[in-house]
Amino acid sequence: FATCSDDGTIKIWDFFKTQLGHQERTLEGHGWDVGCIDWHPQLPLIASGSKDSLVKLWDARQGTILTTLHGHKNTIASVKWNRNGSWLLTGSRDQLIKLYDIRTMRPFQVFRGHTRDVTTMQWHPVQDNLFVSGAGTSS
């Protein structure tokens, strides 16, 4: 289990050792609040997004940063792995959604259309190439 925090850290917890949870490690490396994380569906990888406009991929076992994605110009509000873990969606306050291929660590598609901050995204549970996204409103 993992949590993210306004102190810029990610904490990994083990609930098998105790019912209340045991903190295994703290991941540090973002320059500001970490507001979203997502575990890779098959590997010990965590994607994190922060107010520093960066997405980081972490080795959860070693506690190290594997790479940093510099694709957005504002706070990252959502990160989501697809079902098989080959694609990563990132959504930001820059009103963009970027789709990264994990093998190349580069965005291969940028989705425009939101007129407000992208706040949430979710992959379709069956169709691997479909997702939905939501954005904030002024009201």
Side-chain angles (χ1 to χ4, degrees):
F1 188 75
T3 58
C4 57
S5 175
D6 287 352
D7 68 3
T9 66
I10 299 159
K11 293 186 179 4
I12 299 176
W13 302 85
D14 182 349
F15 283 93
F16 290 112
K17 290 184 179 177
T18 69
Q19 194 172 19
L20 297 175
H22 170 75
Q23 184 180 329
E24 288 290 312
R25 69 179 31 89
T26 300
L27 309 180
E28 298 178 288
H30 276 291
W32 213 344
D33 306 359
V34 180
C36 56
I37 55 175
D38 197 28
W39 279 95
H40 189 279
Q42 299 168 2
L43 300 172
L45 297 175
I46 296 174
S48 63
S50 171
K51 280 187 178 180
D52 61 11
S53 305
L54 302 175
V55 174
K56 293 188 181 285
L57 301 184
W58 304 82
D59 179 324
R61 288 189 182 143
Q62 300 298 318
T64 57
I65 299 168
L66 299 173
T67 192
T68 300
L69 307 175
H70 298 266
H72 290 281
K73 295 180 180 176
N74 209 323
T75 299
I76 308 299
S78 185
V79 292
K80 291 288 180 185
W81 293 103
N82 72 331
R83 216 167 29 147
N84 69 12
S86 61
W87 294 343
L88 178 69
L89 281 174
T90 62
S92 171
R93 291 186 65 191
D94 63 10
Q95 303 170 5
L96 299 176
I97 297 170
K98 296 195 176 190
L99 179 58
Y100 286 85
D101 185 327
I102 191 67
R103 295 163 292 198
T104 64
M105 299 295 178
R106 297 187 188 276
F108 69 89
Q109 193 155 2
V110 178
F111 298 91
R112 293 173 168 82
H114 284 295
T115 58
R116 301 280 186 213
D117 306 352
V118 176
T119 56
T120 189
M121 302 173 303
Q122 187 64 48
W123 286 98
H124 190 280
V126 177
Q127 297 290 332
D128 288 336
N129 61 339
L130 296 176
F131 70 91
V132 295
S133 61
T137 64
S138 59
S139 60

